[in-house]
Amino acid sequence: EIPVLVVGHDTLNDRTKDSAHHGSKQIMTRGLCLSEHHMGRRFCLPKLKYDSHSSRFTAVDAEGKGLTFFRIPDASKTNPNTNVTAILCLSGMPRDLTASILAHEATHAWIKMHPDFDAAKPLPPHVEEGCCQLIAHLFLTDGLDPADKDIGPDGGPSDEKLRQYFKFAIETDENEVYGEGFRRAGALFADIGILPLLSHVVMYREFPLL
């Protein structure tokens, strides 16, 4: 299970500085998926046997000077130990916006935990963020209960109007990573569906050519 933490702006901003997050120019950072990859190293260890006559260990292979190699799995190549440590979400936002951000960050988590994900060769930002924005948009479109049409308690916009705006903001984002990535992912989703799209980008680190 992945912890989901609702945090303040300062906490989220501090974590963003240490990540590879590519923020949109249209909005501030509102969510973050934290992950770690355990890096392996190659160690040279002696290959020895115990000599009972001399009461000490001696090299098994004199020509090789008794050395062998032991490799700890390298997460940057085989990715056996990718771990999503937490998903952070900014506090104080409208319900539907929070839901869409969590859907976006959950897609980052799915990609990083996929067996074919290679931490040494991450997805291009416009591919990964575009797919995450697509999932957020789909969640706003079909993943929530019908929005309330009543005007807000202080005369503000209804939940329905807010949801429409959140979708509009994704659709019209001019950022080349988030906006253009979303529109490319959306066009491909219309042709091949979501699972083939996500599986392809994780395996080949690019959008499919159709």
Side-chain angles (χ1 to χ4, degrees), residues 7-27:
V7 299
H9 177 267
D10 291 343
T11 300
L12 189 60
N13 188 58
D14 289 342
R15 291 292 184 176
T16 301
K17 292 178 182 177
D18 299 328
S19 75
H21 183 264
H22 300 269
S24 169
K25 294 179 181 178
Q26 187 183 69
I27 51 177

Side-chain angles (χ1 to χ4, degrees), residues 147-169:
D148 193 342
K149 298 181 180 181
D150 295 336
I151 295 176
D154 298 325
S158 65
D159 289 344
E160 182 183 50
K161 292 297 183 182
L162 284 174
R163 187 178 299 180
Q164 290 174 356
Y165 172 75
F166 299 147
K167 292 169 59 178
F168 175 79

Side-chain angles (χ1 to χ4, degrees), residues 16-151:
T16 301
K17 292 178 182 177
D18 299 328
S19 75
H21 183 264
H22 300 269
S24 169
K25 294 179 181 178
Q26 187 183 69
I27 51 177
M28 71 175 69
T29 299
R30 300 169 300 185
L32 194 63
C33 176
L34 301 179
S35 62
E36 61 184 10
H37 309 281
H38 302 292
M39 305 298 291
R41 292 293 183 268
R42 198 166 186 246
F43 292 91
C44 186
L45 301 176
K47 186 176 182 181
L48 304 174
K49 67 178 180 180
Y50 183 72
D51 186 343
S52 59
H53 297 291
S54 60
S55 299
R56 63 188 179 89
F57 287 94
T58 59
V60 172
D61 180 10
E63 183 177 350
K65 299 181 180 180
L67 299 178
T68 187
F69 288 100
F70 174 73
R71 182 183 293 276
I72 296 176
D74 188 343
S76 67
K77 295 182 179 179
T78 60
N79 195 28
N81 295 315
T82 296
N83 183 35
V84 175
T85 56
I87 289 176
L88 306 183
C89 186
L90 185 63
S91 63
M93 296 185 297
R95 179 182 58 187
D96 286 0
L97 180 58
T98 299
S100 69
I101 290 169
L102 291 177
H104 175 111
E105 300 304 332
T107 308
H108 280 301
W110 185 90
I111 290 172
K112 288 174 172 56
M113 296 174 67
H114 193 283
D116 291 323
F117 177 75
D118 187 344
K121 300 176 182 178
L123 276 64
H126 75 283
V127 175
E128 182 167 347
E129 297 295 351
C131 289
C132 292
Q133 285 293 78
L134 172 63
I135 295 297
H137 189 275
L138 291 174
F139 199 77
L140 287 169
T141 303
D142 296 318
L144 299 170
D145 293 334
D148 193 342
K149 298 181 180 181
D150 295 336
I151 295 176

Side-chain angles (χ1 to χ4, degrees), residues 163-179:
R163 187 178 299 180
Q164 290 174 356
Y165 172 75
F166 299 147
K167 292 169 59 178
F168 175 79
I170 294 174
E171 295 164 356
T172 59
D173 192 343
E174 297 180 355
N175 182 274
E176 62 181 9
V177 172
Y178 285 75

